[in-house]
Amino acid sequence: MYDPDRGIGLAPFDAEQDSKFFYRGFQHGSALSFLDHALKSDETVVALTGGNGTGKRTTLRRFLEEEGGRFRSAYLEEVPDNGHDFLVAVLQAFGFGPVEAERSELRNLLSVFLVQVQQEGQKLLLHLHNPSVLSDDVAEELLWLTGDQAKSGSIRLILTGSEDLDRILDSPRMAVLADRLRLRHRLHPLSAREAHEYLQFRLSAAGCGSPANVFPPLIATAIYAASTGVPAIMNKLSAELLESTRGKDGKRLDVDLVRNLAAKMGLAGVDAVGVECRLLISLEGETFLEVPVARDKLLIGRHSFNDISLRDNSVSRHHAIIVPDGGAWVIVDLNSTNGTSVNDRPVRQQALSDGDEIRIGRFDLLFQGGAASGPGQPPEDADMRKTVVLGESAKALS
């Protein structure tokens, strides 16, 4: 057993754990739905992008497991610089031995293979992950592979990667391939609520009967803040925390330990761990989430792309935003349907003080703290507020 004192049978945050550890929250559930739609359509090229550690390859692996053998897949991590070597690498990825042939013969061999697989009732899926560069020569072969002469063999090309992949695909020399790439989806980090659910889910999948006792809300919030909601970073930090606190000689699990380990790991969100400003979020009098207020902005709404997602019809898709204005935090209502109130008074824009009670739909948000950590300015009129919403939406959906 991994940790008998805490009733944890398996290592809950091991990146190599099997599919029962796959957390199907909004972000990854949406990505699975995208893959299902995209790979069942007539599109031959699709892309799944997102920051490092957001779970692109894990999501694709989960999709293929759920498909139960409908696809015969191959993974190509390093893309050669020239087209001939690229075709050789593709054939080897699909199980062929070393092939010595001219480029035209390689194409013919691959075409025959595509048709054979189709006759067996399967489709081919070629996965290219994080290609740092795609030469013109390789781009030519990709165009051939996804063209009409190869489409009869039912091949799908899926590209996964970070912002660099978007930059490559949007470059002028990739315009022809990008024209075939009409379906893209971007994975974002987890929201605060999803991060709490993710930690509880992984611990439960590892056999822990009381995950909230292992990572209570305050610790889960600190992990979320330090990792900025990136699952791979959450895994590494959580694993370090469990290891450091195991057994009778283990360290005490508290916010200071989270901060210290996050600092040693060089995590981007370390400054947000244990900040004085926070929101305590309650529903019908019961507090269920604590969120640090330590970023340039905190977008609140019903849609899961918000920093704080409150999934109830009483909340607008993008309901309100908290931003720094000099030395204070300011909440701005984003033309929501049901409005925003502070201390039972409807507001369009209001500086927050320690103990202020914010009402958004059916939810109560208690603001604790005072000074803001950034010098930003709040929106001053309705047009600016609309601009903030559209900017966030565009970023989330890009």
Side-chain angles (χ1 to χ4, degrees):
M1 178 172 278
Y2 173 78
D3 189 343
D5 292 337
R6 288 182 282 206
I8 305 175
L10 302 171
F13 300 103
D14 188 336
E16 301 303 320
Q17 287 289 12
D18 61 30
S19 59
K20 77 174 184 179
F21 284 81
F22 181 83
Y23 168 70
R24 193 189 289 264
F26 175 82
Q27 289 293 338
H28 298 91
S30 297
L32 284 173
S33 296
F34 163 77
L35 290 172
D36 183 62
H37 166 73
L39 296 175
K40 286 180 179 177
S41 70
D42 291 332
E43 303 294 328
T44 53
V45 187
V46 299
L48 181 62
T49 64
N52 292 331
T54 50
K56 300 176 291 295
R57 284 187 291 179
T58 301
T59 302
L60 178 57
R61 185 167 63 245
R62 176 66 174 184
F63 169 79
L64 292 174
E65 288 176 357
E66 293 182 354
E67 283 301 303
R70 188 164 67 94
F71 288 94
R72 185 179 301 185
S73 63
Y75 173 58
L76 197 60
E77 186 165 12
E78 294 185 6
V79 179
D81 293 333
N82 68 78
H84 177 276
D85 291 347
F86 171 73
L87 292 177
V88 171
V90 170
L91 287 166
Q92 289 182 333
F94 279 113
F96 286 75
V99 180
E100 295 184 5
E102 297 295 327
R103 193 159 171 166
S104 60
E105 295 174 325
L106 293 173
R107 284 190 177 189
N108 289 335
L109 179 58
L110 191 51
S111 294
V112 171
F113 176 58
L114 292 174
V115 174
Q116 178 185 347
V117 170
Q118 185 185 37
Q119 292 174 345
E120 294 173 355
Q122 288 185 305
K123 295 181 179 180
L124 289 180
L125 188 146
L126 177 61
H127 175 202
L128 305 184
H129 179 66
N130 249 350
S132 57
V133 63
L134 292 174
S135 67
D136 293 339
D137 202 28
V138 170
E140 179 183 341
E141 294 306 327
L142 287 174
L143 290 174
W144 171 81
L145 191 63
T146 58
D148 291 336
Q149 68 270 46
K151 189 179 294 185
S152 62
S154 297
I155 189 168
R156 298 292 184 266
L157 174 66
I158 181 163
L159 307 172
T160 60
S162 59
E163 292 83 355
D164 289 340
L165 177 59
D166 285 319
R167 176 182 54 78
I168 292 170
L169 294 173
D170 291 335
S171 63
R173 65 185 179 85
M174 297 300 294
V176 178
L177 180 62
D179 184 59
R180 294 184 184 175
L181 179 58
R182 290 183 286 266
L183 297 178
R184 292 197 208 183
H185 184 85
R186 184 167 185 80
L187 266 175
H188 294 268
L190 303 179
S191 67
R193 174 181 284 187
E194 280 190 307
H196 279 240
E197 293 175 352
Y198 176 83
L199 294 170
Q200 303 261 326
F201 174 83
R202 297 281 298 212
L203 286 166
S204 295
C208 180
S210 302
N213 292 337
V214 177
F215 285 158
L218 189 62
I219 298 300
T221 296
I223 295 172
Y224 162 73
S227 65
T228 63
V230 177
I233 301 177
M234 291 179 65
N235 287 343
K236 291 179 181 178
L237 178 57
S238 299
E240 287 288 338
L241 286 168
L242 292 180
E243 189 64 31
S244 298
T245 56
R246 272 208 293 182
K248 62 179 181 179
D249 297 325
K251 298 178 181 178
R252 178 186 176 190
L253 179 58
D254 54 22
V255 172
D256 285 338
L257 179 61
V258 178
R259 184 189 300 108
N260 292 338
L261 287 176
K264 289 181 180 179
M265 296 169 66
L267 301 187
V270 63
D271 292 336
V273 178
V275 295
E276 294 183 358
C277 295
R278 57 180 56 86
L279 289 172
L280 302 181
I281 304 175
S282 304
L283 178 63
E284 298 178 351
E286 183 174 343
T287 300
F288 66 88
L289 186 62
E290 178 179 323
V291 180
V293 183
R295 299 183 180 183
D296 293 335
K297 60 186 178 301
L298 203 61
L299 190 62
I300 306 169
R302 186 177 72 249
H303 199 289
S304 291
F305 284 135
N306 292 290
D307 298 304
I308 300 177
S309 175
L310 304 176
R311 301 178 191 173
D312 187 87
N313 289 334
S314 64
V315 180
S316 297
R317 281 171 58 87
H318 300 291
H319 195 109
I321 190 171
I322 296 177
V323 291
D325 177 20
W329 288 103
V330 174
I331 188 167
V332 181
D333 182 78
L334 299 175
N335 294 328
S336 64
T337 301
N338 293 325
T340 301
S341 66
V342 177
N343 299 326
D344 296 323
R345 184 174 65 86
V347 300
R348 299 295 296 274
Q349 179 175 308
Q350 174 72 45
L352 296 173
S353 302
D354 184 36
D356 279 347
E357 297 179 355
I358 305 165
R359 182 77 174 180
I360 292 180
R362 298 173 57 221
F363 297 87
D364 294 304
L365 293 77
L366 176 63
F367 179 79
Q368 293 184 339
S373 60
Q377 294 290 334
E380 295 181 352
D381 53 42
D383 290 338
M384 280 292 289
R385 285 192 290 273
K386 291 177 183 177
T387 301
V388 171
V389 178
L390 291 174
E392 281 298 306
S393 299
K395 179 180 178 182
L397 297 174
S398 63

